[in-house]
Amino acid sequence: MRKTMTIALKDLRAYFVSPIGYTVLSVFLLLTGWLFNGLINRYIMITMYYQQMGDPSAFRDFNLNTQILTPFFHNMVFVFIFIVPLFTMRLFAEERKMRTDELLMTLPLEDIHILMGKFFAGLSFLGIVLISTVVFPILLVIYGNPDVGPIFSGYLGVFLVGAAFVSVGLFASFTTENQVVAAIVSFVIFLLLYLININVPEAESLLKSVLMYLSLFDQMDSFAKGLIALPNIVYLVSFCVLGLFLGKIAIEIRRWR
Amino acid sequence: MLEVSGLTKRYGDILAVDDVGFRLEKGEVAAFLGPNGAGKTTTLRIVTGYLPPTAGAVVIGGVDLRREPTKAKRMVGYLPEIPPLYPEMRVEGYLRFVGKLKGLRKQELEKAIEEAIDRCRLKDVRRRFVYALSKGYRQRLGLAQAILGNPGLLILDEPTAGLDPAQIVDMRSFILELKGSHTILLSTHILSEAAQICNRVLIIHKGKLVGDGTLEQFATGRSLEETYMGLVAYS
Ligand SMILES: Nc1ncnc2c1ncn2[C@@H]1O[C@H](COP(=O)(O)OP(=O)(O)O)[C@@H](O)[C@H]1O
Ligand SMILES: [Mg+2]
């Protein structure tokens, strides 16, 4: 565990001594802030429209939670598609480029130390990125009265989905010494996961439910609505384990090729 | 301390290392001598567990590298051809990082760092960032990292390559100071360097071990230079 933490700390620190950490953080805040702003504007417009119509029945299910927070969490996960590859790409590809992999692979370390160290570094950075977005929901709490529970469950969901993304990005970083290639590989995988259920048949079918279940993004639905459901957690944690397992295989191939 | 047998490495069609075998006793200082492209780096990378061999076995201090890699690696300090440094770390921070990964703790760790800084004369730059170090200091830091925690076996890949004459003299003197406390295998393509630092010379050419003997053995009869040129020049 000490060796794992040593690697994790080194890689987390590396994010903030190069421009990459600050850049990713700013871009993520900018994008989510912009999307948040869009949701607020839409909310105000719809409210004004219904007020003119004078139809109170239209306000059923119309509140800050359903109209702003739920879509906000979905937006965040969408932004992950572009952002996560940017901070996971360096995790191992950079070591190879700098030839420091020759140090890591010849020190008395197990693969698991390297793998988990890098994973925790990515997770911690993800956590920092998410914490920096807390200002948006806080604004809602200050100026409105949303239900606070879904904010917590939403963040838990976003973090778990993000963790699954990080595990895939880390795997991609183990496969190449070219960071751009690593980023593109993970980007393509995320995009596929995003598109997987776009073409499903409308009617309820087994195929549809399977695809819905496979889609990483739909896992967010219940979290964003304030529900912490065990199947979703199991799915996302298994997804991480699978990503890490692929990463482990990628290291082994490197060791034994 | 180190036993290598039948070591072979193929890169596609290229046979980089061809059935290399030798044995280093504890305390021996051996030069791995050969021209560029002879297979020195490849052999050392296999011995340190960075690359898998196509065939053959490596036993370090009685431990099979393939069966118990972590246990075997604990006994090895390795300075690769390009020192594996993190530019954004400070000299001390880098040594602390490597020390922790070697499993050193607290006082033991701090003591090992002081000793490495002292032995490689890094005192003046200990608070500097690695990116601001000259080539000579980078090489010293690479060596400091390797000797950290006093591993029994040191593997040094062309430790003087790319240094200026003054730095080469420094580096050689550091290695000479390590003689006696460590078993050392260092690679070089410079004959005089092998003769100056080492008691034993292993000559490698086109992946094959073509000469193996102590300096005394080479001194009697044909000189080391004659042997080396004879082995390497034609074929
Ligand atoms: N990764 C690699 N892929 C293909 N060939 C390689 C690789 N590394 C080294 N070689 C080849 O193996 C041979 C030995 O190289 P090397 O061990 O670096 O020699 P030395 O260190 O003695 O200069 C050379 O012919 C080199 O071109
Ligand atoms: Mg070489």
Side-chain angles (χ1 to χ4, degrees):
Chain A
M1 200 58 196
R2 268 185 94 234
K3 292 179 176 178
T4 302
M5 290 328 284
T6 302
I7 293 175
L9 268 177
K10 171 227 141 208
D11 278 309
L12 182 60
R13 210 171 279 150
Y15 280 127
F16 294 102
V17 293
S18 74
I20 183 77
Y22 298 104
T23 311
V24 168
L25 203 59
S26 324
V27 171
F28 190 78
L29 271 177
L30 210 71
L31 285 174
T32 49
W34 181 65
L35 292 166
F36 183 75
N37 184 50
L39 289 169
I40 300 266
N41 285 338
R42 181 171 149 273
Y43 185 83
I44 293 171
M45 264 169 50
I46 296 177
T47 319
M48 280 169 27
Y49 175 75
Y50 280 132
Q51 271 170 355
Q52 281 166 8
M53 301 285 287
D55 177 8
S57 71
F59 280 88
R60 233 171 3 100
D61 276 347
F62 187 92
N63 57 46
L64 291 174
N65 284 89
T66 59
Q67 296 305 306
I68 294 183
L69 282 171
T70 305
F72 176 64
F73 286 123
H74 280 112
N75 286 341
M76 243 198 272
V77 167
F78 182 71
V79 175
F80 279 167
I81 298 180
F82 309 96
I83 287 296
V84 172
L86 293 183
F87 71 85
T88 53
M89 64 181 186
R90 68 178 306 287
L91 284 171
F92 200 74
E94 172 86 355
E95 306 270 5
R96 279 169 75 175
K97 200 186 88 204
M98 300 298 292
R99 307 295 206 93
T100 43
D101 64 322
E102 203 163 347
L103 176 70
L104 291 184
M105 305 290 263
T106 57
L107 282 170
L109 296 174
E110 309 287 344
D111 290 350
I112 198 85
H113 294 135
I114 299 173
L115 187 72
M116 294 313 284
K118 302 265 164 193
F119 183 59
F120 287 148
L123 279 193
S124 315
F125 186 74
L126 175 76
I128 291 171
V129 166
L130 288 182
I131 286 170
S132 73
T133 66
V134 169
V135 282
F136 303 126
I138 286 182
L139 281 177
L140 281 192
V141 173
I142 292 175
Y143 293 104
N145 56 341
D147 194 357
V148 182
I151 297 180
F152 289 103
S153 67
Y155 269 107
L156 176 65
V158 169
F159 181 75
L160 287 175
V161 174
F165 275 43
V166 169
S167 75
V168 172
L170 177 58
F171 159 69
S173 189
F174 275 118
T175 62
T176 170
E177 67 179 278
N178 186 326
Q179 295 197 28
V180 178
V181 173
I184 291 173
V185 168
S186 30
F187 175 70
V188 168
I189 296 176
F190 297 159
L191 215 56
L192 283 177
L193 287 169
Y194 183 69
L195 296 176
I196 199 168
N197 62 351
I198 231 168
N199 242 336
V200 293
E202 268 307 306
E204 291 294 330
S205 66
L206 184 65
L207 180 67
K208 178 171 177 172
S209 41
V210 169
L211 286 180
M212 290 287 282
Y213 186 69
L214 278 182
S215 168
L216 197 48
F217 294 85
D218 291 344
Q219 303 298 319
M220 265 309 294
D221 279 352
S222 47
F223 285 111
K225 286 173 190 149
L227 225 73
I228 298 178
L230 196 60
N232 295 320
I233 292 179
V234 170
Y235 173 95
L236 290 169
V237 171
S238 327
F239 199 110
C240 286
V241 172
L242 178 69
L244 290 170
F245 181 69
L246 289 177
K248 166 90 169 95
I249 290 176
I251 304 184
E252 266 171 30
I253 289 175
R254 265 196 65 60
R255 272 202 203 278
W256 294 115
R257 193 184 48 193
Chain B
M1 189 69 214
L2 173 65
E3 207 177 330
V4 171
S5 54
L7 216 60
T8 301
K9 180 72 185 179
R10 244 173 221 294
Y11 292 111
D13 286 342
I14 305 170
L15 193 57
V17 177
D18 185 6
D19 195 23
V20 165
F22 57 88
R23 224 184 120 93
L24 291 190
E25 300 304 330
K26 200 156 183 262
E28 258 189 307
V29 177
F32 210 40
L33 178 66
N36 280 327
K40 303 183 294 293
T41 297
T42 305
T43 307
L44 299 186
R45 283 180 164 175
I46 296 170
V47 169
T48 52
Y50 178 64
L51 282 180
T54 308
V58 176
V59 177
I60 298 165
V63 179
D64 187 297
L65 179 65
R66 185 168 200 141
R67 263 192 230 122
E68 296 175 276
T70 309
K71 194 172 169 201
K73 286 171 182 173
R74 228 169 261 143
M75 293 180 264
V76 181
Y78 176 37
L79 170 60
E81 204 162 24
I82 298 167
L85 308 177
Y86 295 97
E88 75 277 4
M89 290 187 186
R90 288 177 200 274
V91 167
E92 256 178 3
Y94 172 73
L95 290 175
R96 190 160 292 117
F97 172 73
V98 176
K100 283 181 180 171
L101 294 185
K102 285 190 177 187
L104 301 171
R105 282 157 180 270
K106 298 198 181 94
Q107 287 129 318
E108 194 190 10
L109 174 65
E110 296 309 315
K111 208 176 126 238
I113 292 172
E114 290 313 315
E115 195 182 330
I117 284 179
D118 193 44
R119 281 181 142 179
C120 299
R121 314 285 190 283
L122 287 165
K123 216 178 172 86
D124 297 340
V125 296
R126 61 187 297 161
R127 302 286 307 154
R128 285 241 190 107
F129 281 105
V130 169
Y131 66 75
L133 295 183
S134 66
K135 170 84 183 141
Y137 273 110
R138 279 172 196 230
Q139 198 70 15
R140 287 191 199 186
L141 183 54
L143 181 66
Q145 160 278 122
I147 66 174
L148 203 64
N150 271 317
L153 176 64
L154 293 181
I155 307 276
L156 314 174
D157 196 356
E158 306 229 18
T160 60
L163 300 182
D164 68 35
Q167 293 168 341
I168 290 179
V169 172
D170 286 342
M171 186 53 77
R172 283 183 191 163
S173 73
F174 299 152
I175 297 170
L176 282 170
E177 282 174 34
L178 294 168
K179 236 172 152 167
S181 49
H182 300 265
T183 309
I184 304 177
L185 175 61
L186 67 88
S187 78
T188 176
H189 60 272
I190 306 162
L191 189 79
S192 59
E193 182 164 282
Q196 191 187 339
I197 305 178
C198 307
N199 334 87
R200 167 131 173 241
V201 180
L202 301 155
I203 302 175
I204 185 170
H205 182 51
K206 294 194 169 167
K208 276 199 167 65
L209 204 60
V210 292
D212 177 359
T214 59
L215 272 186
E216 291 78 27
Q217 283 170 326
F218 281 111
T220 60
R222 290 204 299 171
S223 76
L224 178 58
E225 185 160 358
E226 268 175 60
T227 315
Y228 182 57
M229 287 310 169
L231 289 168
V232 166
Y234 321 100
S235 61

